[in-house]
Structures are given as structure tokens and as C-alpha cells.
Amino acid sequence: MDLVQGVYHENSTSAKENHITEDIGISTWKKQTFLSHGALLAKSCQAAMELAKHDADVQDMAFQYGKHMAMSHKINSDLQPFIKEKTSDSMAFNLNSAPIVLHQEFLGRDLWIKQIGELRETIKAGKGVTSAIDLCRYHGNKALEALESFPPSEARSALENIVFAVTRFS
């Protein structure tokens, strides 16, 4: 349940138009990260101790181990684009990763929003947006081609309409 809730929250946050300027703070980041990355490991460790018939204190310590190990692993993963010796330009990072959330907290909301706005304008002025639109339409056309193998039906029309909706940018 926690994993589903965490992924749902991540996706609903990402779907918001201005999610990159959301002031989530590190405490919210920790909660979201635990739900989407740590709960499964924590509860699995706890369950292993329960199955081995250990008492509640041992089960809780196993839960704590799993929780903190998962959090540590996620932070390590978030840090990699910023600390690797030979970071490639293509190494992706998430604007909701731990270093960026902490950077936002230390920098202050107003300056953070200004920096993100400048980055957004730089990207809009380049060819990335138009190229991404072209790529989206390419994959949309490939999806439509795949649908052609199915007989015409209401279901096929509905799936085609979904493609049309996600490839329209006006």
C-alpha cells in the first residue's frame, strides 16, 4: 500500500504544471521517498523477523534498518550525478532529488524560482522542445500503426483518441 501511495503521490506531483517550483522541503521529500522507495524494504525486513519468530523489538529494529538503508541508498543514487569523477553530460538527475531539494532550502524559494525560470527559458529557446514534440508524434504514429492490426471497434477508436490527445500541442 505504501509503495502504491508513494508512486501515486510522485506521479500526481509530477503531473502538476509547475511541480518543479513546488517548495516540498526535505521533510516532505523524506516522507515521499520512504513511501515510494523505503516501505517495501522496511516491511520486508520486519516480516522476515516476524516469520523467524523474533519479538516486537527485534522486528522494529529490522524495520528501522530497512527504512534507513533504503533512504541511504536513494540519497546515494540522487548524489551520483553530482559527485562522480567523470560525470557524463547525459547523466540524468531529478529536480526532486535530495541534493536539489536541499539546495532549494538553503538557497531560498525566491532565488530558486528565479534559477528554475532561467533554466526553463534556456530550454525553451533551444531545439529540445521542438525535438521532443517531434519524438512524441513519432511514437504516437508508431502506436497508431500498431493499432491498425486490430479490427475497427469502439475500443480501438478510444485508444486512437488517446494517442491524438497526447500528441496534440496547440
Side-chain angles (χ1 to χ4, degrees):
M1 181 181 87
D2 289 334
L3 180 62
V4 171
Q5 182 181 355
V7 171
Y8 174 79
H9 186 74
E10 278 182 357
N11 290 339
S12 67
T13 301
S14 297
K16 293 179 184 175
E17 191 169 316
N18 293 318
H19 82 281
I20 59 172
T21 61
E22 231 177 71
D23 189 10
I24 67 168
I26 197 66
S27 63
T28 302
W29 179 90
K30 286 179 180 179
K31 180 181 175 188
Q32 291 172 358
T33 299
F34 172 72
L35 290 174
S36 61
H37 298 283
L40 183 60
L41 181 60
K43 290 183 178 182
S44 295
C45 291
Q46 179 183 27
M49 294 301 102
E50 185 176 353
L51 289 172
K53 306 218 184 296
H54 288 283
D55 65 26
D57 289 339
V58 172
Q59 292 174 33
D60 184 55
M61 286 299 103
F63 177 91
Q64 293 302 320
Y65 169 81
K67 172 185 175 181
H68 293 291
M69 185 60 233
M71 296 295 285
S72 181
H73 181 266
K74 175 67 172 130
I75 294 167
N76 180 290
S77 175
D78 284 358
L79 282 166
Q80 291 309 303
F82 302 99
I83 63 172
K84 279 210 169 195
E85 288 289 323
K86 295 186 178 200
T87 304
S88 69
D89 291 339
S90 65
M91 185 175 250
F93 61 89
N94 182 330
L95 287 175
N96 291 320
S97 66
I100 294 177
V101 169
L102 289 165
H103 173 75
Q104 177 185 350
E105 280 191 354
F106 293 125
L107 195 62
R109 182 145 174 81
D110 292 339
L111 190 49
W112 167 250
I113 289 171
K114 181 178 183 239
Q115 284 183 350
I116 292 298
E118 290 168 356
L119 175 61
R120 184 178 182 189
E121 291 306 313
T122 300
I123 292 168
K124 282 174 65 174
K127 295 184 188 260
V129 173
T130 56
S131 295
I133 289 171
D134 292 343
L135 186 61
C136 180
R137 289 182 176 148
Y138 168 81
H139 286 288
N141 288 333
K142 288 295 190 182
L144 291 172
E145 286 176 22
L147 287 175
E148 288 175 5
S149 65
F150 297 98
S153 66
E154 271 188 52
R156 177 178 152 178
S157 294
L159 293 171
E160 289 168 341
N161 287 335
I162 291 171
V163 173
F164 297 142
V166 299
T167 58
R168 189 176 311 126
F169 294 97
S170 49

